[in-house]
Amino acid sequence: MQIVAALIEALRLRGVQRVYGVPGDYVLGLFAALQASPIDLICTAGEEGAGFAADAHGRLQGLGVAVVTYGVGALKLLNPVAGAYAERSPLLVISGAPGLRESEEHPLLHHRIRADQTQLRLFREVTVANAVLDSGRTAAQELVRVLEEMRRESRPGYLELPADCLNREIAWPIDLTPPAPAPLAIPEGLRREGERWLAWMRGRQRPLVLGGVELARFRLQPLLRQILEREGWELATSLSGKSLLSENHPQVLGVYEGAMGQPQLRQRVESSDGLLVLGQPLNDLDTGVFTMAVDPAHVLQVDLEGGLRTAGARDENLDPLTLLRIWAEAGAPEPAPLPLAARDPAPAAAFEPAPDQPVGVERLMAAIEAVLPADATVLADPGDALFGAADLHLGEDSHFLASSFWASLGFALPAAVGAWGACPEHQPVVLLGDGALLMCANELATLARYAIPALVIVLDNGGYGTERPILDGPFNDLQPVAHRELALAMGFSAAERVKNEEELWSCLGRWRSDGMTNPTLISVAIPAGAMSAALRRLSTALAQKLASPPPQA
């Protein structure tokens, strides 16, 4: 077997059906091999778009792949890969590279900077495993090692493939099948410690779980649901953990995000005397810029980096995977909690458009929720598109994807390509601002090229609206763009510009009635100064915090 065949077979055995990339001379041989393989090749408009698409695919299916050329292609991936590392998304970068022989004969090759390992060193900073597949003797072992480390950590990996090494023979017998996960062996002492913390939670008067992104990445939702239903505990999720469990589940309260969130949910979370923060490192955006006001004595925090921590205890071995397994295998509480009545799916809220009324962010989200398919994949870009979308009530089979911690503008539109590639039965609905669109508008062409039935909604407020409350100036303004004409020029068959609620509602109605088989763009004029309720609540809380006198020494 040759190296290129082993690479494709290893991906196929791990369920990869589509990869994303941009061709270039050092990677054309691999593109040709992929084109002839059972794996579909989706060519995006740019390498950063390929990275975001592969990130979204990995979040939904467990492994996403971006294939690019050396230097000018791969270095455009550093931002998406860094975001995937920060948010634990298994994104594999496969970069072509100059051939070994031509590198020896001609050191001054295009796309190369400084030493021939410069690119490899850069990717080592943002990946959990990396390798150069340049030897038939070691390529198979290195390939499997990188893929397995990615699986264990749910973080990105990097493979570099010199152009003249694709067809090198692997001489030794190889097994590219994913190793079966080893059973989780839990020492008896660790089990007793885990059960002690279960007893602590059971002893609280107002226990509550705040679940986060790590639970989704490691597919821990079934264990979490089993324990919640057995114990009778309620669940709030972080912003990055939205749609962790169905939002129709009777024990799911909604999204908690500090001062940004709904006041009643904030009160329930912050008044809990037993708050289990599970699989959610407490970053600034998930805590409403650190406006989370909880008593540390009542918090049990468990995540992958630090294990279990309280105000007075620490156990690095009790990570979410181990703790949930211990609790799932524990006996039921006595007496058993009363079962909660099943919650019927929330009916779509009625939306009555007001004639000639400009569209605010909250009204826009209300209109979207009224027509949102029950199985949509909602992708929201950082800013008010994301903050407003936090309050959307999603259906039973929906997904929600966002760059909610790394917060990279331009994520949602190319991520819709990967979300569709991973789950084509779920229609992508993209929410992004006019500033974000300028950073990724080239990927409109990718949606058109592959007839991806995405609904793209642009919140056009004439600039970087989320930054204006922080510090405004002409640097937050944007050149006006005719979004409708731009989308049509990129190949969209349907695109509209709306300025009031009636026009918005008519466009959404046409979108639903047309069968939603091709990409559609709706550019919504948002009045200057309009913002989501979440951003307004956060701005008020931060203003109050800044106005408060410092504590006396």
Side-chain angles (χ1 to χ4, degrees):
M1 178 179 284
Q2 297 172 334
I3 290 177
V4 65
L7 172 59
I8 291 172
E9 180 66 6
L11 296 178
R12 191 191 64 79
L13 289 171
R14 284 156 180 80
V16 174
Q17 296 179 324
R18 289 188 173 94
V19 301
Y20 309 87
V22 177
D25 52 357
Y26 293 130
V27 79
L28 288 177
L30 178 55
F31 266 64
L34 285 166
Q35 197 69 54
S37 79
I39 296 176
D40 289 338
L41 177 60
I42 304 296
C43 292
T44 56
E47 288 86 359
E48 188 176 54
F52 285 135
D55 179 352
H57 191 120
R59 296 185 192 206
L60 294 172
Q61 292 290 352
L63 179 61
V65 183
V67 186
V68 294
T69 195
Y70 194 77
V72 295
L75 296 187
K76 292 180 185 177
L77 284 175
L78 283 172
N79 176 48
V81 175
Y85 189 95
E87 300 193 10
R88 284 193 178 270
S89 179
L91 191 173
L92 175 65
V93 175
I94 305 175
S95 173
L100 298 183
R101 178 174 297 178
E102 62 179 334
S103 295
E104 293 172 357
E105 296 175 353
H106 306 287
L108 295 179
L109 294 170
H110 63 286
H111 299 343
R112 175 176 285 174
I113 52 173
R114 302 186 65 179
D116 58 1
Q117 289 196 344
T118 300
Q119 180 170 298
L120 176 62
R121 290 198 298 271
L122 289 171
F123 275 96
R124 281 175 179 159
E125 293 294 319
V126 291
T127 59
V128 73
N130 44 78
V132 179
L133 304 183
D134 58 359
S135 166
R137 184 175 59 85
T138 62
Q141 293 87 342
E142 287 290 270
L143 170 59
V144 171
R145 175 184 64 81
V146 169
L147 292 171
E148 283 307 295
E149 290 189 37
M150 289 178 63
R151 182 192 61 80
R152 281 194 296 270
E153 296 293 328
S154 188
R155 275 187 162 144
Y158 172 80
L159 294 173
E160 192 169 298
L161 187 54
D164 60 358
C165 294
L166 275 73
N167 298 323
R168 291 196 175 189
E169 291 288 339
I170 298 174
W172 313 99
I174 57 173
D175 183 5
L176 299 170
T177 307
L184 185 60
I186 302 174
E188 192 55 37
L190 189 62
R191 184 179 296 276
R192 286 195 298 269
E193 183 67 7
E195 291 172 346
R196 182 171 78 85
W197 288 111
L198 175 58
W200 182 87
M201 281 290 289
R202 286 174 172 174
R204 304 302 96 190
Q205 295 296 312
R206 300 179 304 280
L208 192 144
V209 179
L210 177 59
V213 66
E214 293 178 351
L215 304 178
R217 297 293 186 266
F218 288 90
R219 309 298 193 262
L220 295 174
Q221 295 97 322
L223 279 180
L224 174 65
R225 181 170 182 159
Q226 172 189 337
I227 293 165
L228 291 175
E229 292 176 348
R230 186 190 69 196
E231 303 293 331
W233 300 336
E234 292 180 314
L235 172 75
T237 71
S238 64
L239 183 58
S240 58
K242 182 175 172 66
S243 77
L244 178 65
L245 292 183
S246 168
E247 295 184 337
N248 291 326
H249 193 284
Q251 288 162 257
V252 175
L253 301 177
V255 174
Y256 169 80
E257 43 188 336
M260 293 173 62
Q262 298 283 357
Q264 63 272 25
L265 178 54
R266 184 184 186 193
Q267 194 278 331
R268 290 183 76 171
V269 171
E270 296 180 359
S271 67
S272 170
D273 65 344
L275 179 63
L276 171 61
V277 182
L278 185 62
Q280 182 54 62
L282 295 178
N283 62 68
D284 55 352
L285 294 185
D286 279 309
T287 58
V289 193
F290 301 123
T291 55
M292 181 179 188
V294 295
D295 185 343
H298 296 160
V299 177
L300 178 62
Q301 185 173 354
V302 185
D303 55 53
L304 289 165
E305 293 293 339
L308 181 146
R309 305 182 298 289
T310 69
R314 187 182 190 96
D315 192 327
E316 64 182 6
N317 293 312
L318 283 173
D319 58 31
L321 292 82
T322 306
L323 190 72
L324 285 178
R325 177 61 63 189
I326 293 171
W327 287 7
E329 295 171 358
E334 295 182 1
L338 294 175
L340 294 176
R343 184 189 301 168
D344 292 330
F351 184 84
E352 293 293 335
D356 300 321
Q357 177 66 35
V359 184
V361 177
E362 291 172 73
R363 290 288 288 169
L364 172 61
M365 296 301 164
I368 293 170
E369 184 170 316
V371 300
L372 196 65
D375 58 354
T377 297
V378 177
L379 304 106
D381 230 65
D384 235 7
L386 175 57
F387 300 152
D391 291 336
L392 285 175
H393 187 90
L394 303 184
E396 178 75 23
D397 298 318
S398 291
H399 303 296
F400 185 83
L401 300 180
S403 177
S404 52
F405 171 46
W406 184 244
S408 179
L409 286 180
F411 166 86
L413 184 66
V417 177
W420 171 82
C423 301
E425 68 278 11
H426 295 266
Q427 183 172 27
V429 175
V430 179
L431 309 173
L432 77 168
D434 50 331
L437 180 63
L438 284 180
M439 298 186 183
C440 61
N442 55 343
E443 298 304 340
L444 293 171
T446 308
L447 294 175
R449 176 179 180 179
Y450 293 98
I452 297 172
L455 172 62
V456 179
I457 298 180
V458 183
L459 286 69
D460 183 3
N461 57 10
Y464 298 116
T466 311
E467 295 178 355
R468 294 194 191 280
I470 304 171
L471 180 62
D472 202 5
F475 41 79
N476 286 325
D477 298 335
L478 292 172
Q479 168 68 23
V481 173
H483 300 138
R484 173 183 176 276
E485 288 75 11
L486 176 64
L488 293 174
M490 290 284 191
F492 275 48
S493 57
E496 298 289 347
R497 170 72 170 179
V498 302
K499 297 181 180 180
N500 59 53
E501 291 187 2
E502 276 192 325
E503 292 176 356
L504 170 66
W505 192 239
S506 295
C507 281
L508 291 173
R510 286 195 295 274
W511 170 70
R512 287 300 302 268
S513 63
D514 286 348
M516 304 175 290
T517 56
N518 287 296
T520 298
L521 180 139
I522 302 175
S523 175
V524 183
I526 304 291
M531 62 181 71
S532 67
L535 182 56
R536 189 162 54 249
R537 288 189 292 261
L538 177 63
S539 299
T540 300
L542 291 178
Q544 292 172 347
K545 186 176 181 180
L546 290 172
S548 300
Q552 297 297 317

